Amino acid sequence: MANKGLKDLKQQVEGAAQDAVTAAGTAAQQVVDQATEAGQKAMDQVAKSTQETIDKSANQASESFSGFGKKLGLLK
């Protein structure tokens, strides 16, 4: 009888331990997912900002070249 009680207790402890491991794994995965999402958002923002900077630089270069061409009489 006592042996069955210990066996049941062992199974309960093992079940609780497995539940704790599963919960910890789920929580860790959520942290990884959130970090991945935050990293992706940051990279998207960097890409957007970089593209905007490139576009502005290209526009400024084009305007400068146009002004230079007009001064030389190459463009109207």
Side-chain angles (χ1 to χ4, degrees):
M1 185 83 165
N3 194 17
K4 182 177 181 345
L6 289 175
K7 197 177 219 181
D8 289 343
L9 180 60
K10 179 183 174 191
Q11 288 176 343
Q12 288 176 351
V13 169
E14 287 173 346
Q18 184 60 48
D19 290 347
V21 168
T22 300
T26 299
Q29 185 61 51
Q30 288 173 345
V31 168
V32 169
D33 291 346
Q34 288 173 352
T36 301
E37 184 178 337
Q40 184 61 50
K41 285 181 180 179
M43 290 304 296
D44 289 348
Q45 185 60 40
V46 167
K48 180 182 175 187
S49 178
T50 301
Q51 187 61 50
E52 288 173 354
T53 300
I54 290 169
D55 291 345
K56 286 178 185 176
S57 296
N59 286 338
Q60 289 173 348
S62 177
E63 290 171 6
S64 294
F65 180 75
S66 177
F68 183 69
K70 287 178 183 177
K71 284 184 180 180
L72 292 178
L74 300 173
L75 300 173
K76 293 184 179 185

